Amino acid sequence: MGGLFGNLVFLNPWALTALAGLPALYFLLRVMPPAPRLLRFPAIRFLQGLEPQSKTPSHTPWWILLLRLLMATLLLLALAHPVINPKNSPITQVQPLRLVIDNGWASAQNWDALMDAAQARIAQAGRQQQTVTLLTTAPESTPQKRISGAAPMGAGEALSLLKALKPVPWENDLAALAHFLEADKHNRAFKGETLWLSDGLEKPGAEKLAQILASAGPLALLKPQDQDLPPLLKAGTAAGQTLSVRVESAGNLPSATIQLLNERQQVIDERLADFHAQGKSAEILFTDLPESLQNHAAGYRIAGVKGAQALYLMDMAGGRKNVGILAAQDAGQTRMLAEDSFYLQKALEPYASLTTGTLDEILAHKPALIILPDIGAMPGEHLNALDEWVRGGGLLLRFAGPNMTREHQSVSLTPVPLRAAARTLEGSLSWDKPLHLSPFQNNSPLYGLSIPDDIVVREQILPKTPDAPGLEIWAQMEDGTPLITAAPLGAGMLVMVHTSASPAWSTLALSGLYVEILKRILKLSGQGLKEQILHNGMAQPGKILDGFGALHPPGAEVQPIDAADFDAVIPRPEHPPGLYGKGGLQKALNLGDHLDAPVRLRSLDAVSDSGNLSGVQEKDLLPALLSAALLLFLLDTLVVILLSFNGRLPTRLRRAAHFVLLIGLLSALPAQAQDAVTYAGGLHLAYIKTGNAALDAQNQKGLETLAAVLGERTSAEPLGVAAVDPEHDELSFFPLLYWALSPEQTKPSAAAVQNLQSYLNHGGTILIDTRNGDPGDSTGSPLLRKALAGLDIPPLAPLPEGHVLGRSFYLLDNFPGRHNGAIWVEQQSLNGRDGVSSVIIGGNDWAGAWASINPATHKIRRYNVQNGREAEISLRAGINFILYALTGNYKADQVHVPYILERLGK
Amino acid sequence: MKPFFPLRKNAETLSARLPSLRAAALQTAFHVLHGPHPRRRAGGGESFWQFREYRPGDQPQAIDWRQSAKTDRVFVREKEQHKAQSIFFWVAGNQGMDFKSQSALPSKKEFANLLALTLALLYSREGEMIAYAGRQRPGHSEKTLQSFEHLLLETAEDTPASAALAAIPSHAGCYLLSDFLEPSETLTKNLAPLDGRTHNGWMLQILDPAEITLPYKGRMRFENMEGTDSHLSENAADIATAYNARILAHIEKIRDLCLKMGWRHRLCRTDEDPVLILRDLITRAAHIHKSGTI
């Protein structure tokens, strides 16, 4: 059998014969009567003794029949023990197993599949009591670490060793392994079967290794499929001019995506390499990228490909260049906008790390570029130091300026000898007009920069010999006089701008061109220096690639490379690919540059059994079949149970269903949390749910009216009205709780009492309304006592004259609702709440009064409140309650106002 | 306890859809005795009966001063005694009465309660006294009706208890509502106290349609409502005819029993419209009025 199931084999095929018994089972199931339906029936007495004529027309529903037949079939199939892609039949003669694993760079791409195959084989070896020897083909960084040569070991040990194995970022050395095995050939323990997990690429020595392994016993080879062979990156042929890289593929990969990376390995851009169109080797150019992006380019990567060969690093990657600006001698003066160095700093700050100061300070930072703005004569030792630095590869950029002409001394270290005096193009004694720049010649490094029209040069210093040999003119004026000249000196270069770095002599320093010119020059800098550094001394490892192509700090075993023969170094354990160098100057050692074009491994004669790494796993179907049968059995049981209940669930199951429903309801709890968010968002008036629907509706309506009036007249603008249940709800959001008592008021539960007490203790106020006009005497009415049972409420007193409650917004003497009775508050002297009462108890049915008021007109709709004046006063009472709860004793001072006024009157 | 309100509400609704007993009687064009029946002797009625000389023990309020002023003696005004007919109800409340074959149908108990309360309402509006047999003194006040309803919902008796029936005075009206599925011999024995004492009785046999037709198929295990007895039928559809014959025979027996006692019998299926049943009962009750027994 092929196709979907691969090779399906039954290990116990005789069990399949039992399938013939299925029709018998079918009839058996048909004959078996189903469980009787149970029915409660009062007239059972009349059924006794009634015997039906026929007994068998009852039959199992067809779907139960199908279910059971399927279950039996699955069980029988499971007994037959089917296995997909079975491995070779168990070996009768147990031989040691030798596992050869290619762990060079090319394995990284298929490492997971390779590991799976190795683990599966070791597990199998464990079952067959085979000893295992692990051999790896790539050289290890230290000879001791090499697994090859490890003694035969048990499967468990081999597995743990295997798990520690990682691909390495260098080439396999098959010849060395062959050599090692050759030496061992005459050992008695040499015999054994071998599984070679290859990376699938042709390597020198493969044939020989295969032969030696085959001489020990049967040799099986597993390799990745062709499309899984890894592509690699090499230096592009156009690497000098533009960003380019070459990608080479061994397999029949249709295409690959090449990414351009910055210093942090982030993708800047990506291009598609189409191997169909371009062959197995394709050159990828990253042209037409903005220059700012190009400047950040630090490497290339093949997207989705693992391995050190898939990452190509560029030289000089990492870090910004150091630029030194030599400050003028009198730089201490703070004429910032007239200072040359100020303009240079502003222009270069985004692109380089700047050092401004004396020459010694600058040189200590090992700059790639040194700028001398308007510096004339220098001490001899400075000249010598600079000269040496330039000859060593440095780029010296000089700007002209008044200092160069001030004294009649020769200015050295310029590309060309200069005239002593500046040429003034605009002045009281000059006929000339300020000059513009002429376009850059195409041999100039500045070629391509656009020149704004408004740049004019008013003064310049002209060279004595404009046609001196070796002098490059990078920019010139429209009259042909040079503006920027350059000349090589040793490994370095001298560049001279013949006008000032500040706007003193030209408007160049005020234009964008100034920045662009500096950037171009900055880009040129450091080339010679790099060569110089990297050809002298040792390049230290900076960042090192691991086998999967990730950058890491180097380990102790990584050694520096002698810069002189850097290009000849082939990546190997001591020198893994990565960045080598010093400071910001780094050279890349790329694996791909040292690899031949990858070629698919040809078939080896010595290999007796070869296959693909992936998709050859043995799959035992027994557990899956058994689980399926068990599942069907459970389903059948459930169906039987349900049928026996005849659709009516017994009480317990119904309770369970209720419980499930309850869980579902509980999951709606976040809605309550949502309420909390709403309530916390602003002022809400709240009343305590009484459980009496009519009373609750009245409270809701009354408070809504009050809220509307509050918003209209005061700065307290309630967002809404909340009905709270003190047993469950969080109360802390509400400044005042309105609690209307109904005659059926019961004693609140312990949880409610606790919650209310905590609310009172933390500054809440409860307005209790007995709604009968009379809250009772100092002991309270029985209703009140029942409602407040368990609450710790301080001694109360009738509202004293001049209490803040009567002043908190309106001046009120009484607080009528539908009734006009007494109000009780805490005795002020007793509480610790700054004189604010925690409870206000009355019986005036305020909510009833408010509810009967039309909030739009403040007119009474019903007979409850006799006239408009009383409606108004009841609303005022409500406003005072709310503001009392909100402002506390803030208005207490007003209590004394009459006396103050009286005194003033006198 | 089941909710108090719906039963009463249903009964009120139902009774509103029915003609009063009086109207029903008029409809049948018979002048019937109804309501308080004059007893032709002094009593607590409305109409004048006779003047009688004051005797110690008479209430002073009863003195007719106008009559007394005519002579030297003091007269008391006596009114004719009116006595209302008492109607006794009894409704079976065993678990079997809770049976309903479809969820849309009322249970037999619910159906019986509805019929009983509606009848009680109709009677009490006519001024008759109603009572739950053996549990309640006859009366026609709202309070009586309420406690009657409570008794309907609470009482759970399997078969009419002799003691309860013995309390029914002779010539009183009597309604027994049950499925009467017990053996007719048991019923005969229990009804013995009433035999001959009143001919004014009704047996309303409330049955679920499924109890008559046995509309089930397949293998069934029947269990009585108490779960104490069960019967396994291999093919319920097969025995339906035989069962139907048996149950019809039983109903016939109950009817015979009724007729023997001079009572009336009606089979009430719970899928019937209770209005039709009650109309039927009222019409037939009117005929009874004609015969003068009530």
Side-chain angles (χ1 to χ4, degrees), chain A residues 839-880:
Chain A
V839 289
I840 307 165
I841 297 178
N844 295 349
D845 194 7
W846 291 287
W850 301 329
S852 61
I853 296 167
N854 184 342
T857 60
H858 303 158
K859 293 278 164 49
I860 305 151
R861 279 185 303 232
R862 291 205 306 259
Y863 55 86
N864 302 42
V865 178
Q866 279 76 15
N867 57 50
R869 183 64 193 163
E870 278 194 23
E872 174 61 29
I873 298 294
S874 76
L875 279 177
R876 290 185 176 187
I879 291 172
N880 269 22

Side-chain angles (χ1 to χ4, degrees), chain A residues 33-58 646 648, chain B residues 96 99 181-183 211 214 216 219-225 229-232 234-235 238-239 242-243 246-247 250:
Chain A
R37 281 169 63 206
L38 186 72
L39 186 75
R40 303 251 162 181
F41 193 67
I44 185 174
R45 195 166 64 81
F46 301 96
L47 288 167
Q48 303 290 6
L50 286 180
E51 283 307 322
Q53 311 266 314
S54 58
K55 240 183 164 181
T56 51
S58 322
N646 189 17
R648 290 186 197 168
Chain B
F99 175 75
L181 287 175
E182 62 266 46
E211 287 176 318
L214 198 73
Y216 300 108
R219 199 154 179 263
M220 303 273 298
R221 177 176 292 280
F222 296 100
E223 219 175 58
N224 67 357
M225 298 302 271
D229 197 4
S230 76
H231 173 75
L232 176 70
E234 292 296 342
N235 188 355
D238 224 29
I239 59 171
Y243 169 83
R246 279 191 180 190
I247 195 83
H250 178 71

Side-chain angles (χ1 to χ4, degrees), chain A residues 600-660:
Chain A
R600 199 177 337 144
L601 182 67
R602 63 203 149 87
S603 61
L604 302 166
D605 298 335
V607 174
S608 57
D609 182 16
S610 105
N612 283 329
L613 266 181
S614 50
V616 291
Q617 302 308 311
E618 178 179 296
K619 196 163 168 64
D620 193 344
L621 293 183
L622 179 67
L625 285 173
L626 275 184
S627 324
L630 182 67
L631 207 67
L632 285 181
F633 174 72
L634 290 177
L635 190 64
D636 185 61
T637 313
L638 192 69
V639 164
V640 167
I641 289 175
L642 286 179
L643 279 185
S644 71
F645 287 130
N646 189 17
R648 290 186 197 168
L649 292 178
T651 319
R652 247 181 232 177
L653 270 183
R654 224 176 311 163
R655 282 203 190 129
H658 286 169
F659 183 69
V660 169

Side-chain angles (χ1 to χ4, degrees), chain A residues 375 398-401 404 409-421 461-465 485 496-498:
Chain A
I375 291 189
R398 304 198 63 159
F399 283 87
M404 283 191 171
Q409 351 173 324
S410 64
V411 177
S412 48
L413 279 178
T414 54
V416 60
L418 301 175
R419 287 171 194 270
I461 293 183
L462 292 177
K464 278 181 185 162
T465 52
T485 55
M496 174 81 199
V497 180
H498 292 259

Side-chain angles (χ1 to χ4, degrees), chain A residues 496-507:
Chain A
M496 174 81 199
V497 180
H498 292 259
T499 185
S500 70
S502 67
W505 283 9
S506 80
T507 57

Side-chain angles (χ1 to χ4, degrees), chain B residues 34-249:
Chain B
H34 56 78
H37 309 280
R39 287 291 157 197
R40 305 246 159 228
R41 56 188 167 107
E46 289 291 319
S47 52
F48 171 75
W49 178 243
Q50 66 175 11
F51 292 117
R52 170 174 66 73
E53 201 168 341
Y54 178 80
R55 289 194 297 249
D58 281 341
Q59 290 201 324
Q61 289 91 332
I63 295 171
D64 191 301
W65 295 108
R66 180 187 294 237
Q67 192 63 31
S68 305
K70 290 181 182 168
T71 61
D72 291 338
R73 289 179 294 175
V74 177
F75 285 96
V76 171
R77 186 187 181 89
E78 278 196 327
K79 293 170 182 166
E80 186 181 10
Q81 183 186 19
H82 284 200
K83 180 153 187 187
Q85 178 78 34
S86 297
I87 313 290
F88 287 83
F89 291 86
W90 178 86
V91 179
N94 55 329
Q95 284 189 37
M97 290 292 284
D98 290 331
F99 175 75
K100 53 179 167 181
S101 57
Q102 298 161 36
S103 55
L105 287 181
S107 76
K108 293 189 288 181
K109 177 73 179 169
E110 285 163 3
F111 199 73
N113 282 347
L114 183 63
L115 291 181
L117 186 62
T118 313
L119 282 170
L121 275 173
L122 289 170
Y123 274 113
S124 68
R125 272 183 212 155
E126 297 297 336
E128 310 281 16
M129 316 259 267
I130 56 108
Y132 194 95
R135 302 264 176 163
Q136 202 182 13
R137 292 168 63 106
H140 47 58
S141 66
E142 174 63 27
K143 199 178 165 195
T144 312
L145 276 173
Q146 283 188 9
S147 73
F148 177 76
E149 189 184 348
H150 277 288
L151 287 167
L152 281 181
L153 293 169
E154 284 165 8
T155 316
E157 284 167 327
D158 195 354
T159 182
S162 304
L165 297 183
I168 297 177
S170 55
H171 302 295
C174 187
Y175 283 88
L176 304 184
L177 293 90
S178 171
D179 51 9
F180 297 117
L181 287 175
E182 62 266 46
S184 57
E185 295 76 30
T186 316
L187 199 59
T188 315
K189 203 169 81 203
N190 286 327
L191 290 179
L194 276 179
D195 197 4
R197 287 177 60 196
T198 174
H199 297 289
N200 186 17
W202 278 92
M203 284 174 78
L204 303 182
Q205 189 169 15
I206 319 281
L207 284 179
D208 193 277
E211 287 176 318
I212 299 171
T213 58
L214 198 73
Y216 300 108
K217 281 186 287 190
R219 199 154 179 263
M220 303 273 298
R221 177 176 292 280
F222 296 100
E223 219 175 58
N224 67 357
M225 298 302 271
E226 294 80 9
T228 54
D229 197 4
S230 76
H231 173 75
L232 176 70
S233 175
E234 292 296 342
N235 188 355
D238 224 29
I239 59 171
T241 325
Y243 169 83
N244 185 242
R246 279 191 180 190
I247 195 83
L248 290 180

